[in-house]
Amino acid sequence: MTVKSLDKYSRYFHQSIPNFRQNKYIQILVLRETKSYAIFTTEGDALDTEQLQAGYLGENAKTTVDRVVMFKRKQIAPERRTGKALLRQFGLVGDSEESKQPKPCYLMEGMCGECPDCVLYGFAAVQGEGSQKSRLLTDSAFTLRGYLQLQKQIKLNAIQDKTQGGVAGSAFAEQDTLIPQVFLPCVETLVDVTTDELVYVLGNILQTTRYGAQANREGYIRNHILGISFGNVEKLSNLDLTQRLYDKLAPQGQIADSLNLSDFINSQGTEGAILDVFAKVLADIPGHSVAMSGAELKELLNQVYSIYNQLDSCQDFFTRLDAAARTYSGGRS
């Protein structure tokens, strides 16, 4: 199945995976929305934060805010696992250490160097078999609102199944947690990819729902894809988007205590604060770019859904994607 909506943008794609960089950039504008409590921390029990300019220009740029940070690896690792799970489901990556054809592929213990995930997202040297630079560029994402508006200390309880002569449980710790309904604007950038690889990344973003620590119990995030830019230069950055959005949504210098999706886009998804910022950045930064949003983007996403909603079409798509990746890698086994 082909994605007709991308035909007019064919000049920004490669027919096959290239060996050399040509700077064909595709940037995906994503608004991540927490739908449950979430924990983004690397050390200790405190949420990761960074003190940054509140806005991009004017009075907002003269004040600072402690923003919660979602580091890049906490975004991409879950999305890679989503893609790898489907590759295993369709028999394109081995599912055990005893697998010979196809070989197993593990993010932590050893990459195969041949599958679509390795070829697109990259991998470090594995047992002398070389490495692959990632063609998907990412950066840390930042919340619009400040830490004190977004965090909550949640007590952790010890559960005791024997209650005679004692208490049923007791609080033994507190965890610094991000509350629901928090938005993190971000962008994922692809460099020199095929149309199938773009569809693969879109599928991974749309189907991944669990991020951060304790993701089996919380950390549900809904990813809203709101725009795509095609061009020959990288224009969008996460912090730039966040600070410009702050200027747009906080004209009085203080953003609201609560936000919802309608603060960023209208009900049709064709305009709104985030798309105004998206268009402004593309116009301000030098270099060629064209944008896809609104109804055109919705049509593209519907075509992506049609691939993933049917197992047969999904199997065919992943088989074609895998064949291209193994042709590029030389099919090492």
Side-chain angles (χ1 to χ4, degrees):
M1 177 181 290
T2 59
V3 181
K4 298 294 186 182
S5 295
L6 295 175
D7 287 350
K8 65 181 288 188
Y9 300 99
S10 60
R11 67 181 298 178
Y12 304 104
F13 294 95
H14 292 271
Q15 295 301 309
S16 59
I17 301 169
N19 289 316
F20 298 97
R21 184 124 170 205
Q22 297 181 32
N23 281 8
K24 294 185 177 183
Y25 284 94
I26 300 171
Q27 296 200 270
I28 306 169
L29 176 63
V30 183
L31 185 66
R32 304 192 193 276
E33 178 186 7
T34 60
K35 290 291 190 178
S36 69
Y37 294 100
I39 300 172
F40 303 134
T41 180
T42 51
E43 295 182 6
D45 297 324
L47 291 170
D48 294 317
T49 60
E50 193 66 54
Q51 189 175 73
L52 301 163
Q53 281 181 204
Y56 183 72
L57 292 171
E59 292 300 316
N60 290 335
K62 299 177 183 179
T63 60
T64 61
V65 60
D66 290 319
R67 289 193 158 102
V68 178
V69 185
M70 185 181 185
F71 283 116
K72 52 188 178 294
R73 292 190 181 277
K74 296 184 184 300
Q75 301 172 58
I76 297 306
E79 293 168 12
R80 292 189 73 167
R81 288 193 290 268
T82 296
K84 278 189 179 293
L86 283 173
L87 289 168
R88 294 190 189 99
Q89 181 184 139
F90 295 126
L92 301 171
V93 168
D95 59 2
S96 70
E97 294 182 1
E98 291 73 31
S99 300
K100 300 298 182 184
Q101 291 293 339
K103 291 163 57 176
C105 187
Y106 308 115
L107 284 177
M108 296 294 293
E109 300 173 11
M111 311 288 285
C112 71
E114 302 171 7
C115 71
D117 174 85
C118 288
V119 169
L120 178 58
Y121 288 89
F123 65 95
V126 180
Q127 299 177 353
E129 293 185 358
S131 61
Q132 170 74 36
K133 286 186 177 180
S134 175
R135 286 177 293 126
L136 189 139
L137 314 180
T138 59
D139 206 343
S140 299
F142 305 92
T143 59
L144 276 165
R145 291 175 283 162
Y147 167 78
L148 293 178
Q149 292 176 280
L150 305 176
Q151 68 85 222
K152 184 175 184 179
Q153 292 288 340
I154 296 181
K155 290 183 171 60
L156 308 178
N157 294 316
I159 305 301
Q160 171 61 272
D161 57 358
K162 181 180 179 181
T163 58
Q164 184 178 4
V167 295
S170 59
F172 67 91
E174 286 187 337
Q175 179 68 63
D176 198 12
T177 306
L178 196 67
I179 64 173
Q181 202 80 52
V182 171
F183 294 90
L184 297 101
C186 65
V187 59
E188 295 192 19
T189 303
L190 289 77
V191 187
D192 296 320
V193 298
T194 66
T195 55
D196 283 348
E197 287 179 317
L198 172 60
V199 172
Y200 179 63
V201 171
L202 292 173
N204 289 347
I205 295 171
L206 291 167
Q207 293 191 105
T208 304
T209 56
R210 296 282 176 167
Y211 295 81
Q214 302 182 17
N216 57 332
R217 297 186 291 278
E218 53 195 359
Y220 191 103
I221 286 182
R222 176 60 64 204
N223 293 318
H224 306 280
I225 297 177
L226 302 180
I228 299 178
S229 167
F230 303 86
N232 61 6
V233 67
E234 184 179 14
K235 293 190 174 185
L236 302 165
S237 77
N238 293 349
L239 183 56
D240 203 12
L241 283 171
T242 301
Q243 290 173 332
R244 287 173 183 255
L245 266 171
Y246 189 96
D247 287 343
K248 192 80 174 176
L249 296 174
Q252 304 305 316
Q254 179 63 46
I255 208 159
D257 286 338
S258 63
L259 295 170
N260 57 62
L261 193 59
S262 63
D263 290 310
F264 299 91
I265 57 173
N266 66 13
S267 58
Q268 287 77 38
T270 56
E271 58 186 28
I274 195 166
L275 294 176
D276 288 344
V277 169
F278 179 58
K280 177 68 172 166
V281 174
L282 295 182
D284 284 352
I285 306 298
H288 169 74
S289 64
V290 295
M292 172 191 284
S293 61
E296 189 180 17
L297 176 64
K298 185 176 181 180
E299 182 181 358
L300 168 62
L301 296 181
N302 285 338
Q303 291 171 9
V304 174
Y305 299 154
S306 68
I307 292 174
Y308 280 85
N309 287 348
Q310 300 295 326
L311 286 179
D312 288 343
S313 63
C314 196
Q315 171 84 68
D316 292 343
F317 168 74
F318 270 80
T319 300
R320 185 174 71 236
L321 182 75
D322 182 72
R326 294 181 189 279
T327 296
Y328 166 81
S329 65
R332 294 188 300 268
S333 61

